[in-house]
């Protein structure tokens, strides 16, 4: 089973569709055909049982009539007064015996035999010392060794006995002779063939019959089967199995009892013979299945043309896509699931083409950036040399402010460029910020004060560069420069290290911000390199749990906290 499933799984989709269509189409046809065959077979068997029962009724009527006629004939003799007197009389001469034979026994027996052609002989066996007379009168000693003799002595009613060779049937009864010491038994020999001839012509062919005497003994059996069906013929020993229902699956069986004799007739016919008519239905079902098979092959071919072919073309396009060929050749305009798949594949190919173009453009941009970075490595040297020259000239001219400005600019640009690196030490980031604040202080004629509160244990740690300078720029330009309250401006820069965090604080006592401005400060783009840019850089590099946090009150000032991980 596992190998079959593996084989089916590896078949092409077209073959899978064909096999599934065949199974789906054939299963209902086979089930319907099997059901029809079973119903017709059951109907034929029921009809056969009815036919057997009706035939048996007629046969029982005939046999009952024959048995009644035999019993009536026997009673006619048993209760004949002349016969009874002859059997109880003690004869003194042969002439009286002769008259008894000629005028009493022979005429009566001849009349009975002529009325009943099935009766072959009539014999009275007696121990009366009378001379035997042919087959009409015989000594009782002739039958003392016969198997039915003791039964005849013990019974006072007629009973039937069959010969062992099943060729003769006997009706026997003891004569009840009141006041006589003689024992007499009337024996009637009946033709087997004539009595049961109708049992051999119940049906044309293919049946068997048993006649049981009510004590389990078979009185008569007959079967008529074709040569090819002789195996269905049952022997006399099979009667018990037939009666016990053990053969009900193989044979249709009916039985009827005879009223006066206690006999019972069993008729059986093979089920296969009865259900031969159902074989025609089997042939029809097979033809229908073959026709459905042919029709399903045609339908599966049409189905594969409309369903499987687009899938095959789509598979070919995918293989070509693997070879970097971006063309999509499959055409399928339906709006079903397959159409959705084809459209999605087209969009995917277009997206891949777009991404390839973007990567190509990004490579060009990267090359331009590398060129600019190379230029940036050259330009600072020129800038530093120029600032150094200005510083030297200022010292020679005793211009301390110009010298100090040149030194601050040199420090600021050195830490800002950071040799093109993205990461910088906390110490250098603070140096960059100090340089910028000092430059702004000189530009503002020292109109504001600066306070630094730095945890020096954090100076050796590393962070991304240019985070503090935009914050201090905002504090000076948008805060202190617009201060309307009396007093000098105050800028506070602090750094604390807490567990695994670095917390920078930039605070001013400037004009502050409205709540609406504060709300959208970190969620919208601003002109220049502002707080939103810093916040976005921090979260992209370190994660969403880090970044900026603002508090501000109008005319009181603004405080911003920058939270970073403490990284070595």
């Amino acid at each position: 089973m596992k190998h079959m499933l593996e084989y089916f799984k590896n078949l092409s989709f077209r073959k899978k569709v064909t096999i599934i269509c065949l199974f789906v189409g054939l299963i209902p046809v086979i089930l319907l055909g099997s059901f029809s065959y079973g119903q017709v077979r059951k109907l034929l068997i029921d009809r056969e049982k009815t036919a057997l029962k009706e035939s048996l009724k007629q046969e029982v009527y005939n046999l009952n009539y024959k048995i009644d006629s035999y019993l009536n004939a026997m009673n006619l003799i048993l209760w004949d007064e002349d016969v009874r007197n002859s059997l109880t009389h003690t004869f003194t001469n042969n002439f009286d015996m002769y008259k008894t034979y000629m005028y009493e026994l022979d005429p009566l027996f001849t009349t009975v035999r002529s009325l009943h052609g099935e009766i072959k002989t009539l014999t009275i066996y007696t121990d009366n010392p009378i001379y035997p007379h042919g087959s009409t009168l015989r000594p009782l000693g002739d039958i003392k060794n016969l198997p039915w003799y003791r039964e005849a002595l013990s019974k006072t009613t007629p009973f039937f006995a069959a010969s062992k060779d099943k060729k003769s049937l006997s009706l026997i009864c003891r004569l009840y002779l009141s006041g006589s010491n003689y024992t007499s038994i009337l024996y009637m020999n009946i033709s087997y063939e004539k009595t049961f001839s109708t049992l051999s012509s119940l049906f044309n062919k293919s049946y068997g019959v048993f006649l049981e005497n009510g004590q389990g003994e078979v009185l008569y059996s007959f079967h008529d089967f074709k040569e090819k069906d002789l195996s269905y013929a049952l022997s006399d020993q099979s009667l018990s199995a037939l009666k016990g229902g053990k053969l009900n699956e193989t044979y249709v069986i009916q039985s009827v009892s005879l009223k006066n004799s206690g006999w019972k007739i069993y008729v059986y016919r093979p089920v296969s013979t009865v259900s031969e008519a159902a074989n025609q239905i089997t042939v029809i079902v097979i033809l229908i299945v073959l026709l459905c098979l042919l029709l399903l092959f045609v339908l599966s071919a049409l189905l594969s043309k409309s369903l499987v072919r687009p899938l095959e073309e789509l598979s070919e396009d995918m293989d070509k896509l693997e070879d970097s060929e971006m063309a999509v050749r499959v055409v399928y305009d339906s709006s079903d699931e397959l159409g959705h798949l084809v459209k999605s594949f087209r969009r995917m190919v277009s997206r891949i083409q777009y991404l390839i173009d973007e990567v190509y453009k990004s490579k060009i941009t990267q090359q331009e950036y590398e060129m600019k970075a190379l230029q940036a490595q050259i330009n600072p040297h020129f800038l530093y040399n120029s600032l150094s020259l200005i510083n030297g000239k200022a010292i020679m001219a005793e211009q301390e402010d110009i010298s100090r400005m040149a030194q601050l600019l040199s420090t600021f640009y050195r830490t800002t460029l950071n040799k093109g690196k993205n990461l910088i030490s906390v110490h250098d980031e603070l140096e960059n910020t100090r340089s910028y604040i000092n430059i702004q202080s000189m530009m503002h004629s020292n109109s504001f004060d600066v306070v630094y509160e730095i945890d020096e244990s954090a100076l050796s740690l590393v962070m991304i560069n240019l985070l503090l300078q935009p914050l201090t720029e905002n504090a000076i330009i948008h805060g202190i420069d617009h201060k309307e309250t009396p007093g000098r401006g105050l800028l506070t820069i602090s750094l604390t290290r807490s567990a695994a965090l670095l917390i920078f604080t930039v605070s001013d006592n400037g004009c502050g911000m409205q709540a609406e401005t504060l709300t959208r400060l970190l969620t919208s783009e601003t002109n220049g390199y502002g707080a939103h840019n810093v916040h976005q850089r921090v979260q992209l590099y370190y994660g969403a749990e880090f970044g900026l946090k603002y508090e501000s009150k109008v005319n009181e000032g603004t405080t911003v906290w920058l939270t970073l991980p403490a990284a070595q």
Side-chain angles (χ1 to χ4, degrees):
M1 187 65 181
K2 184 178 180 181
H3 295 294
M4 291 180 64
L5 291 175
E6 189 69 23
Y7 174 76
F8 180 78
K9 186 173 70 174
N10 294 326
L11 287 175
S12 65
F13 190 72
R14 184 190 295 269
K15 291 181 179 179
K16 288 179 181 177
V17 170
T18 303
I19 292 174
I20 291 173
C21 288
L22 289 176
F23 270 101
V24 171
L26 285 178
I27 288 175
V29 174
I30 293 174
L31 290 177
L32 182 60
S34 301
F35 176 76
S36 301
Y37 174 79
Q39 290 298 107
V40 171
R41 184 174 180 272
K42 182 177 180 298
L43 180 63
L44 290 173
I45 291 174
D46 291 341
R47 188 180 68 178
E48 185 63 24
K49 287 182 178 179
T50 303
L52 289 178
K53 193 171 184 179
E54 292 299 323
S55 299
L56 276 180
K57 282 183 179 180
Q58 183 62 38
E59 183 59 26
V60 166
Y61 176 80
N62 293 334
L63 283 177
N64 279 330
Y65 176 78
K66 290 180 180 180
I67 292 171
D68 288 343
S69 66
Y70 300 153
L71 291 173
N72 290 334
M74 176 161 279
N75 286 328
L76 179 65
I77 298 173
L78 289 174
W79 298 103
D80 185 272
E81 195 64 30
D82 292 334
V83 173
R84 297 170 67 84
N85 290 334
S86 298
L87 294 176
T88 58
H89 182 70
T90 302
F91 293 95
T92 57
N93 56 73
N94 292 335
F95 181 72
D96 290 337
M97 290 183 189
Y98 174 76
K99 288 194 299 182
T100 299
Y101 299 152
M102 293 299 295
Y103 300 110
E104 295 178 8
L105 296 181
D106 286 346
L108 178 61
F109 282 20
T110 301
T111 301
V112 170
R113 285 198 300 269
S114 63
L115 292 175
H116 303 281
E118 299 91 348
I119 299 176
K120 297 165 65 176
T121 59
L122 282 168
T123 305
I124 295 177
Y125 294 93
T126 181
D127 57 0
N128 188 328
I130 190 173
Y131 288 127
H133 178 62
S135 61
T136 303
L137 189 65
R138 299 296 301 170
L140 189 63
D142 290 356
I143 60 172
K144 286 186 177 181
N145 294 326
L146 295 179
W148 46 262
Y149 175 71
R150 292 186 178 278
E151 185 178 359
L153 293 178
S154 62
K155 286 187 175 181
T156 58
T157 57
F159 66 92
F160 287 93
S163 62
K164 291 183 178 181
D165 58 4
K166 302 294 188 301
K167 292 184 179 180
S168 65
L169 180 67
S170 303
L171 181 58
I172 306 161
C173 185
R174 179 180 177 181
L175 283 80
Y176 180 71
L177 303 174
S178 178
S180 174
N181 294 325
Y182 298 124
T183 299
S184 299
I185 295 175
L186 177 60
Y187 172 82
M188 181 184 293
N189 184 259
I190 304 169
S191 172
Y192 229 69
E193 182 179 351
K194 292 182 180 180
T195 302
F196 302 122
S197 60
T198 52
L199 290 176
S200 61
S201 58
L202 286 175
F203 303 96
N204 291 332
K205 287 288 183 182
S206 302
Y207 80 99
V209 62
F210 287 109
L211 178 63
E212 183 203 20
N213 65 357
Q215 300 174 359
E217 296 178 2
V218 177
L219 293 177
Y220 177 81
S221 63
F222 175 81
H223 61 78
D224 185 10
F225 290 100
K226 297 177 182 178
E227 186 175 353
K228 65 175 183 177
D229 296 329
L230 281 177
S231 58
Y232 288 112
L234 298 177
S235 63
D236 292 355
Q237 290 74 24
S238 303
L239 178 60
S240 59
L242 192 73
K243 291 167 59 178
K246 297 179 180 179
L247 303 178
N248 288 349
E249 295 294 327
T250 309
Y251 298 94
V252 179
I253 304 168
Q254 285 293 326
S255 62
V256 180
S257 298
L258 280 70
K259 62 179 182 178
N260 292 328
S261 60
W263 295 352
K264 196 168 186 178
I265 302 176
Y266 293 89
V267 178
Y268 62 91
R269 297 195 76 182
V271 173
S272 59
T273 302
V274 175
S275 58
E276 280 182 356
N279 294 336
Q280 298 178 358
I281 296 178
T282 304
V283 174
I284 294 174
V285 170
I286 293 174
L287 291 176
I288 292 175
V289 169
L290 293 176
L291 181 62
C292 290
L293 187 63
L294 178 62
L295 183 61
L296 286 171
F297 268 120
V298 175
L299 292 177
S300 62
L302 295 176
L303 182 63
S304 64
K305 182 178 180 180
S306 61
L307 177 63
V308 180
R309 183 178 295 176
L311 287 175
E312 292 175 342
E313 293 176 353
L314 185 62
S315 177
E316 292 176 1
D317 284 347
M318 288 181 177
D319 292 337
K320 292 178 180 178
L321 179 62
E322 188 176 351
D323 295 332
S324 302
E325 186 176 343
M326 295 296 169
V328 179
R329 296 176 178 83
V330 59
V331 178
Y332 193 81
D333 299 328
S334 299
S335 58
D336 56 9
E337 290 82 355
L338 184 56
H340 178 71
L341 178 62
V342 172
K343 292 175 184 176
S344 298
F345 179 71
R346 286 181 181 276
R347 288 195 295 268
M348 183 190 73
V349 172
S350 299
R351 181 63 178 169
I352 291 174
Q353 185 66 54
Y354 171 77
L355 291 176
I356 290 174
D357 293 341
E358 286 294 310
V359 170
Y360 178 73
K361 292 177 182 178
S362 66
K363 285 185 177 180
I364 295 175
T365 303
Q366 183 179 2
Q367 290 176 352
E368 292 176 352
Y369 175 77
E370 290 175 353
M371 180 61 69
K372 290 180 180 179
L374 181 60
Q375 293 173 351
Q377 291 178 2
I378 299 173
N379 292 336
H381 292 289
F382 175 75
L383 178 62
Y384 298 153
N385 291 335
S386 299
L387 291 174
S388 178
L389 179 61
I390 293 171
N391 182 42
K393 293 290 185 181
I395 292 174
M396 292 174 63
E398 297 181 354
Q399 297 292 326
E400 294 182 2
D401 290 342
I402 297 174
S403 174
R404 187 164 180 266
M405 177 65 77
Q407 292 176 4
L408 290 173
L409 285 172
S410 177
T411 301
F412 176 74
Y413 281 111
R414 177 180 59 79
T415 53
T416 298
L417 294 174
N418 194 31
K419 298 181 180 180
K421 297 179 181 179
N422 190 35
L423 295 178
I424 192 171
S425 67
V426 174
H427 176 273
D428 289 345
E429 179 71 8
L430 288 172
E431 283 297 312
N432 175 269
T433 304
R434 281 194 181 97
S435 299
Y436 176 78
I437 292 173
N438 290 333
I439 292 171
Q440 286 288 356
S441 179
M442 292 179 66
M443 292 174 63
H444 285 75
S445 302
N446 298 316
S447 62
F448 61 88
D449 298 322
V450 182
V451 176
Y452 294 96
E453 298 173 353
I454 306 300
D455 184 351
E456 295 187 358
S457 66
L459 295 178
S460 61
L461 300 179
V462 177
M463 59 184 288
I464 56 177
N465 64 344
L466 294 179
L467 296 181
L468 293 178
Q469 184 272 330
L471 302 181
T472 56
E473 181 180 355
N474 288 340
I476 295 170
I477 295 175
H478 300 292
I480 294 175
D481 282 356
H482 296 278
K483 176 177 170 60
E484 297 179 357
T485 57
R488 288 174 59 82
L490 177 63
L491 178 64
T492 303
I493 308 295
S494 66
L495 168 61
T496 59
R497 182 177 182 179
S498 174
L501 298 177
L502 289 179
I503 302 175
F504 293 90
T505 305
V506 178
S507 179
D508 67 81
N509 63 347
C511 63
M513 288 183 286
Q514 298 287 341
E516 181 181 355
T517 304
L518 187 65
T519 302
R520 68 171 185 268
L521 184 63
L522 299 179
T523 58
S524 61
E525 291 288 348
T526 57
N527 294 328
Y529 192 83
H532 175 71
N533 195 313
V534 172
H535 184 66
Q536 190 176 40
R537 285 181 63 209
V538 170
Q539 290 199 332
L540 286 174
Y541 195 87
Y542 294 114
E545 64 270 25
F546 303 101
L548 300 180
K549 178 184 176 183
Y550 272 89
E551 282 187 5
S552 182
K553 291 183 179 180
V554 177
N555 294 326
E556 291 186 13
T558 302
T559 302
V560 57
W561 288 270
L562 171 62
T563 304
L564 302 175
Q568 294 291 337

